[in-house]
Amino acid sequence: MSKDFVSLVGAGPGDADLLTLGALKVLHQAQALLYDALVSEDIIALAPQRCIKICVGKRGDRLSVSQDKTNELMVRLANKGLHVVRLKGGDPSMFGRVEEERQYLDRHGVAHKTLAGVTAASAAAAQFEFPLTHRGEARAVTFLTGRTKEGSIDLDDARVSDTETSLVFYMSSHNARHIEARLREAGRSAATPVVLIENAGRPHARAVTTRLDRLADEVKTADWDGPVLIAVGDAFAYARTASVATAMAAQR
């Protein structure tokens, strides 16, 4: 990889085992690393020791580096002749602001390449052994975010009322009550299976199964610390949370 170049890389949801070979190769070549707050220390450690490492992550309402500052850092470091790796949690194209960063790099004449990563929903589905789609029950899956620029969430009835569509909400635990109410209004059954997954893809991930009419109460009583996915739909009734939790405990 040449210098004066930015690689926009998906780090996956946290476990180094979920890095792609392409991401690993680029990490080994990094001269400057700008990484998200949720990227694990194990993954950061894969970059060379002499690599410049700067956390530019964002965590909900916590003090964070602005997107404008991150954009400026990418260009400034690349203009110094460095190979910059912008390491993003999950997949860059999923709620990752990657297009804002690509447009900024284009405007400043900096060459770049994007490498895909494993998104949290896929990691959770593998880890807790449930399908995102399932023949005869779930013919589509929709990924949604519960965090907009205004801090609210707007659910269109046509998008969420189809009972054969699995719904996975990212960054949405703070809006659980609104999600529950809007899905019920859209015609989703009170008994619709729900899985809440914290820290999907990481060794200490946990999942809780419930139903739609108990979603808000479950979120309120749970002691969440990491990022939480809310998965709603019939396909999530297959989640094997108990057996997976037992297996994970045995591995520790």
Side-chain angles (χ1 to χ4, degrees), residues 47-60:
Q49 276 194 333
R50 297 183 64 182
C51 172
I52 300 166
K53 302 178 180 72
I54 304 172
C55 179
V56 295
K58 300 165 184 62
R59 289 292 306 274

Side-chain angles (χ1 to χ4, degrees), residues 4 25 62 96 144 146 218:
D4 192 14
K25 179 179 178 180
R62 306 177 194 181
L144 307 101
E218 191 68 55

Side-chain angles (χ1 to χ4, degrees), residues 6-225:
V6 175
S7 295
L8 302 153
V9 181
D15 192 324
D17 285 348
L18 296 180
L19 279 174
T20 67
L21 290 175
L24 182 61
K25 179 179 178 180
V26 168
L27 268 174
H28 287 163
Q29 299 170 344
Q31 295 171 306
L33 182 68
L34 305 181
Y35 61 92
D36 281 354
L38 294 175
V39 175
S40 70
E41 292 295 329
D42 288 346
I43 292 177
I44 296 168
L46 295 171
Q49 276 194 333
R50 297 183 64 182
C51 172
I52 300 166
K53 302 178 180 72
I54 304 172
C55 179
V56 295
K58 300 165 184 62
R59 289 292 306 274
D61 299 322
R62 306 177 194 181
L63 186 64
S64 305
V65 176
S66 70
Q67 186 63 53
D68 288 344
K69 181 65 174 178
T70 299
N71 293 344
E72 292 167 6
L73 276 170
M74 285 192 300
V75 170
R76 188 187 312 162
L77 292 167
N79 284 341
K80 290 180 181 292
L82 302 177
H83 175 201
V84 181
V85 173
R86 173 67 179 99
L87 193 59
K88 306 171 78 66
D91 179 83
S93 66
M94 288 287 295
F95 312 119
R97 306 189 188 190
V98 71
E99 187 54 30
E100 296 175 40
E101 296 179 359
R102 285 191 292 234
Q103 289 180 14
Y104 191 89
L105 295 171
D106 285 341
R107 288 197 299 271
H108 290 80
V110 177
H112 56 84
K113 178 180 180 179
T114 304
L115 281 78
V118 175
T119 191
S122 295
Q127 189 171 28
F128 292 99
E129 299 183 342
F130 57 78
L132 293 170
T133 61
H134 187 60
R135 187 168 58 177
E137 293 182 23
R139 57 188 174 84
V141 59
T142 298
F143 299 140
L144 307 101
T145 176
R147 185 175 293 276
T148 64
K149 287 184 177 180
E150 296 75 28
S152 61
I153 182 171
D154 183 24
L155 299 178
D156 179 78
D157 287 355
R159 271 195 305 171
V160 302
S161 60
D162 182 3
T163 58
E164 292 190 21
T165 296
S166 302
L167 305 175
V168 182
F169 294 87
Y170 286 63
M171 304 168 287
S172 301
S173 57
H174 63 293
N175 271 327
R177 193 163 299 280
H178 177 67
I179 291 170
E180 177 184 321
R182 291 295 292 116
L183 294 185
R184 293 296 309 281
E185 290 170 9
R188 290 274 182 156
S189 166
T192 302
V194 172
V195 185
L196 306 170
I197 307 103
E198 180 190 35
N199 290 314
R202 294 177 179 243
H204 57 287
R206 62 171 174 149
V208 176
T209 57
T210 185
R211 40 186 277 168
L212 183 57
D213 60 349
R214 299 171 187 161
L215 168 59
D217 289 340
E218 191 68 55
V219 169
K220 184 178 180 180
T221 57
D223 185 21
W224 304 115
D225 180 52

